[in-house]
């Protein structure tokens, strides 16, 4: 059978029906785009290969367990898995994203670098924890653009290409993400003051 003629959805169905060889075609078809999107985020060939392999292991495990239900959206689903693995990697590495405010100030480095007291260090660390928690509350598209821009330092053009949206959409998502973070920070500030 000529696998190139089948859609991703058909190949997934064949795989689920026990035709293991079709996985190779899915891999061949999408490896370049998935690997490139990972590499652009981590900027390390070996790390990108590791994350790519982890992504496909997760894909295989999900397919085998019968939990796959992204009908007709195989590539975006795999890309989401890969991006989540990249985000997990950055989280494990404890690389804090650089979030800039409207005036260009790094929100995470608002405190001056100096010999800080234990109290100041605890406050700074809590601020980082709070900000990461707030980032997780953002809608998925906003969180994705924010992380790609600030964790991976990607241009808005690269982000637009990777997420299959226009540059204006990517910019809009970033604007909404920062706006939402500011609102959450104000709510936290008011809540903290009133408690």
């Amino acid at each position: 059978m000529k696998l190139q003629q089948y859609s991703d959805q058909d190949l997934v169905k064949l795989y689920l029906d026990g035709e293991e060889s079709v996985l190779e075609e899915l891999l061949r078809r999408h490896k370049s785009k998935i690997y490139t999107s990972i590499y652009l985020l981590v900027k390390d060939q070996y790390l990108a290969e590791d994350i790519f392999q982890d992504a496909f292991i997760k894909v295989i495990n999900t397919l085998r367990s019968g939990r796959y239900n992204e009908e007709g959206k195989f590539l975006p689903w795999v890309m989401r898995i890969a991006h989540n693995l990249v985000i997990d990697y950055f989280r494990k590495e404890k690389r804090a994203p650089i979030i800039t405010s409207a005036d260009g100030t790094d929100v995470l480095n608002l405190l001056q670098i100096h010999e800080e007291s234990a109290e100041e260090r605890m406050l700074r660390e809590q601020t980082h924890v709070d900000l990461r928690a707030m980032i997780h509350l953002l809608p998925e598209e906003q969180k994705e653009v924010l992380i790609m821009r600030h964790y991976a330092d990607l241009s808005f053009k690269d982000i637009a290409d990777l997420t299959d949206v226009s540059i204006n959409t990517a910019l809009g998502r970033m604007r909404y993400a920062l706006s939402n973070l500011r609102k959450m920070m104000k709510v936290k500030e008011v809540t903290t003051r009133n408690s």
Side-chain angles (χ1 to χ4, degrees), residues 101-133:
S101 62
D103 65 358
T105 314
D106 179 353
V107 175
L108 288 182
N109 292 329
L110 289 175
L111 299 171
Q112 294 294 330
I113 297 173
H114 62 284
E115 282 298 312
E116 58 187 353
S117 68
E119 183 182 331
E120 288 172 323
R121 188 178 68 251
M122 284 171 51
L123 183 63
R124 179 179 48 79
E125 287 169 359
Q126 186 57 49
T127 302
H128 286 225
V129 168
D130 291 346
L131 185 58
R132 283 194 194 98

Side-chain angles (χ1 to χ4, degrees), residues 40-180:
L40 284 170
L41 292 169
V42 299
K43 295 178 173 62
D44 178 300
Q45 175 187 348
Y46 300 108
L47 178 59
E49 287 169 10
D50 285 350
I51 291 173
F52 176 81
Q53 287 174 356
D54 289 347
F56 255 86
I57 288 168
K58 205 164 189 171
V59 165
I60 291 166
N61 289 339
T62 304
L63 290 172
R64 284 185 177 155
S65 71
R67 289 178 294 148
Y68 175 76
N69 60 2
E70 304 281 327
E71 284 196 21
K73 296 181 179 142
F74 180 76
L75 181 59
W77 174 65
V78 178
M79 294 287 274
R80 197 164 53 247
I81 288 172
H83 285 164
N84 288 342
L85 288 171
V86 169
I87 291 165
D88 289 347
Y89 165 76
F90 281 119
R91 205 177 288 131
K92 282 184 199 143
E93 289 295 303
K94 293 189 168 66
R95 292 189 194 174
I98 299 164
I99 312 292
T100 51
S101 62
D103 65 358
T105 314
D106 179 353
V107 175
L108 288 182
N109 292 329
L110 289 175
L111 299 171
Q112 294 294 330
I113 297 173
H114 62 284
E115 282 298 312
E116 58 187 353
S117 68
E119 183 182 331
E120 288 172 323
R121 188 178 68 251
M122 284 171 51
L123 183 63
R124 179 179 48 79
E125 287 169 359
Q126 186 57 49
T127 302
H128 286 225
V129 168
D130 291 346
L131 185 58
R132 283 194 194 98
M134 289 175 196
I135 290 170
H136 287 290
L137 295 173
L138 291 172
E140 204 56 45
E141 308 85 44
Q142 292 174 24
K143 181 170 37 175
E144 182 179 51
V145 170
L146 186 91
I147 287 169
M148 290 170 121
R149 180 79 180 120
H150 293 291
Y151 270 112
D153 200 28
L154 290 182
S155 70
F156 282 105
K157 184 188 180 330
D158 289 338
I159 293 168
D161 291 344
L162 284 169
T163 55
D164 286 329
V165 297
S166 70
I167 291 177
N168 283 342
T169 301
L171 285 165
R173 287 177 178 174
M174 183 61 155
R175 194 168 47 250
Y176 284 123
L178 292 175
S179 171
N180 286 333

